[in-house]
């Protein structure tokens, strides 16, 4: 006799189907939360037989032992009635109960855990997280399920974090935003996630989206804690709000650049050094290599990324043919669109000094 595969889903909506995908019949008899909890416990502890006394105490801790054992017998009877060919799925004797490890079945929890262990690439991580459809048996409120539920939830959080970090390294900001939104659904009270989303929106050149996320964060904190965002979140908001818009000519120039392909390891090294510098540790980074391999393009990508985060970003180019012009990069920085508006705020005594490098200042400020 050929037994079809039993497909069991414990994550999110409880579901058990039997047979091929096109003609699978829902097992409507597995409708009570207690019956689903017993099936879930046997599946999650399928590696070893479970003593009847242990199961009786676990599910009816406040009931006398004799009555708890009777309740367990009745529940096992209902479970065997609900399962097709129960002998192929359950091992039951007078002392123990076990889900047969060799039974023809699939379990979404096992599939999710295995997929996470095997995942190394972005698509594999995405497929793994798609298997996590929600909390483990949300209709069950027994104490025994809480650690297992939290373990699987934390596994999903860690997997999402790995995927988002990888997508950010690959500069696929739209996909990173999409999975960050899902991460926020799992942890809606985590303020750091709002900051992460703000940075991702800014990196994708969507400052309005970043500021909207801040407003969501403000509303959440007010409603849940009657509190304001932390200084770190407020500082990020102010920086993005006051960021100098990219001039139209420069916007066309940036848009014309081809996308930066590959260079994931080098890009991650740039970001690591940038985060170190932005945390207050002054830092220098030297890009070296043969001519034409893309050093300048990599640096330009970092300048664009930093500028979208609301930080001042200016560039200068030096060439050997210029000779020993030691102040050439300083002059280029002072003439940048980011610095020029700020020169007008200097006192005349300092403007006089700057005019040694920028003679044109003498026309605006004789």
């Amino acid at each position: 006799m050929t037994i079809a595969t039993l497909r069991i889903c414990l994550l999110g909506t409880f579901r058990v189907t039997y047979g091929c995908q096109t003609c699978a019949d829902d097992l409507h008899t597995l409708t009570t939360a207690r019956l689903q909890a017993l099936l879930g416990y046997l599946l999650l502890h399928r590696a070893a037989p479970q003593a009847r006394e242990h199961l009786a105490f676990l599910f009816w801790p406040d009931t006398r032992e004799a009555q708890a054992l009777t309740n367990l017998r009745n529940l096992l009877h209902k479970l065997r009635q609900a399962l097709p060919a129960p002998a192929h799925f359950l091992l039951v004797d007078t002392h123990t109960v076990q889900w047969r490890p060799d039974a023809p079945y699939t379990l979404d929890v096992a599939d999710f855990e295995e997929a996470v262990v095997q995942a190394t690439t972005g698509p594999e991580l995405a497929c793994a997280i798609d298997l996590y459809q929600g909390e483990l048996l949300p209709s069950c409120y027994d104490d025994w399920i809480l650690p297992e539920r939290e373990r699987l939830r934390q596994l999903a959080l860690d997997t999402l974090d790995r995927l988002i970090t990888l997508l950010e390294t690959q500069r696929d900001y739209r996909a990173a935003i999409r999975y960050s939104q899902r991460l926020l659904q799992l942890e809606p009270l985590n303020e750091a996630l709002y900051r992460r989303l703000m940075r991702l929106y800014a990196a994708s050149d969507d400052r309005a989206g970043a500021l909207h996320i801040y407003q969501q964060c403000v509303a959440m904190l007010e409603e849940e804690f009657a509190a304001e965002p932390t200084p770190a979140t407020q500082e990020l908001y102010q920086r993005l709000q006051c960021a100098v818009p990219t001039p139209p000519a420069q916007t066309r120039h940036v848009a014309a650049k081809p996308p930066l392909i590959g260079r994931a390891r080098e890009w991650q090294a740039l970001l690591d050094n940038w985060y170190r510098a932005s945390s207050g540790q002054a830092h220098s980074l030297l890009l070296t290599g043969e001519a034409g391999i893309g050093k300048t393009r990599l640096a330009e990508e970092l300048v664009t990324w930093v500028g979208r985060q609301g930080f001042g970003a200016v560039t200068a180019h030096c060439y050997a043919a210029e000779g020993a012009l030691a102040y050439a990069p300083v002059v280029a920085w002072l003439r940048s669109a980011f610095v020029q508006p700020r020169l007008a705020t200097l006192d005349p005594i300092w403007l006089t000094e700057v005019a040694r490098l920028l003679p044109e200042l003498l026309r605006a400020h004789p």
Side-chain angles (χ1 to χ4, degrees):
M1 176 181 178
T2 301
I3 302 298
T5 299
L6 195 66
R7 296 178 175 85
I8 307 169
C9 298
L10 304 181
L11 297 172
T13 303
F14 177 87
R15 187 171 67 257
V16 179
T17 56
Y18 180 67
C20 65
Q21 187 174 7
T22 55
C23 62
D25 296 322
D26 288 332
L27 303 180
H28 298 291
T29 50
L30 287 168
T31 54
T32 66
R34 182 59 72 190
L35 200 56
Q36 294 171 6
L38 177 60
L39 176 61
Y41 186 89
L42 293 175
L43 285 162
L44 296 172
H45 299 83
R46 58 193 177 278
Q50 304 298 311
R52 283 176 175 260
E53 290 79 3
H54 171 69
L55 292 173
F57 174 78
L58 199 66
F59 282 84
W60 295 275
D62 300 325
T63 306
R64 291 183 296 106
E65 181 178 358
Q67 183 60 52
L69 288 170
T70 299
N71 294 341
L72 177 62
R73 282 195 297 273
N74 292 334
L75 198 60
L76 283 172
H77 176 70
K78 293 179 180 178
L79 180 60
R80 297 179 71 174
Q81 282 188 320
L83 293 173
H88 288 83
F89 299 98
L90 290 175
L91 291 172
V92 181
D93 58 34
T94 55
H95 300 289
T96 62
V97 181
Q98 183 182 12
W99 183 268
R100 296 184 61 130
D102 60 345
Y105 77 103
T106 63
L107 178 63
D108 61 345
V109 174
D111 294 340
F112 169 59
E113 292 178 307
E114 183 179 359
V116 170
V117 172
Q118 299 293 333
T120 57
T121 66
E124 290 172 345
L125 287 168
C127 289
I129 201 60
D130 285 344
L131 294 173
Y132 185 80
Q133 293 296 308
E135 286 190 340
L136 175 67
L137 285 175
S139 62
C140 178
Y141 301 98
D142 295 338
D143 291 341
W144 65 265
I145 203 172
L146 299 181
E148 190 67 13
R149 179 182 290 161
E150 180 57 28
R151 183 187 69 83
L152 291 170
R153 177 178 174 275
Q154 192 59 52
L155 185 60
L157 295 177
D158 294 343
T159 304
L160 275 169
D161 182 73
R162 287 173 57 194
L163 176 57
I164 295 166
T165 300
L166 181 61
L167 291 171
E168 187 176 5
T169 301
Q170 296 173 343
R171 298 173 299 286
D172 190 352
Y173 300 121
R174 287 300 173 187
I177 288 171
R178 186 169 66 253
Y179 285 105
S180 294
Q181 293 280 13
R182 182 167 180 183
L183 184 58
L184 193 61
Q185 291 176 355
L186 296 177
E187 285 196 302
L189 306 182
N190 189 339
E191 186 177 346
L193 291 181
Y194 289 89
R195 290 197 298 272
R196 188 175 196 176
L197 258 174
M198 290 170 67
R199 288 193 291 266
L200 287 171
Y201 270 107
S204 65
D205 204 18
D206 185 357
R207 191 171 60 168
L211 299 181
H212 178 67
I213 292 296
Y214 175 79
Q215 298 302 331
Q216 289 183 358
C217 180
V218 171
M220 179 277 295
L221 292 172
E222 175 63 30
E223 180 179 352
E224 298 292 337
F225 307 107
E228 294 182 346
T230 61
T233 305
Q234 294 187 41
E235 178 187 353
L236 177 59
Y237 171 71
Q238 293 295 334
R239 196 170 65 240
L240 293 176
Q241 191 179 42
C242 301
V244 177
T246 306
Q250 189 173 343
T251 301
R252 289 193 297 270
H253 175 65
V254 171
K257 293 178 182 176
L260 183 62
I261 305 299
R263 303 298 182 84
R265 183 171 60 86
E266 293 83 357
W267 177 249
Q268 187 60 54
L270 286 177
L271 287 184
D272 290 343
N273 283 278
W274 156 249
Y275 286 129
R276 191 182 312 170
S278 62
S279 66
Q281 305 177 40
H283 204 68
S284 297
L285 182 69
L286 178 65
L287 297 177
T288 64
E290 298 178 3
I293 65 172
K295 301 185 298 298
T296 301
R297 182 66 186 87
L298 195 60
E300 288 173 344
E301 186 74 11
L302 181 64
V303 170
T304 300
W305 188 91
V306 169
R308 288 175 178 174
Q309 300 297 318
F311 290 94
V314 296
T315 62
H317 295 78
C318 303
Y319 303 96
E322 294 177 342
L325 298 178
Y327 288 100
V330 179
V331 171
W333 290 330
L334 290 173
R335 285 175 173 157
S336 69
F338 178 78
V339 177
Q340 277 288 318
R342 290 161 171 79
L343 291 178
T345 64
L346 294 177
D347 292 334
I349 187 174
W350 301 117
L351 277 175
T352 301
E353 295 300 319
V354 176
R356 298 174 184 270
L357 296 177
L358 302 181
E360 62 268 24
L361 286 177
L362 297 176
R363 294 196 298 270
H365 307 277

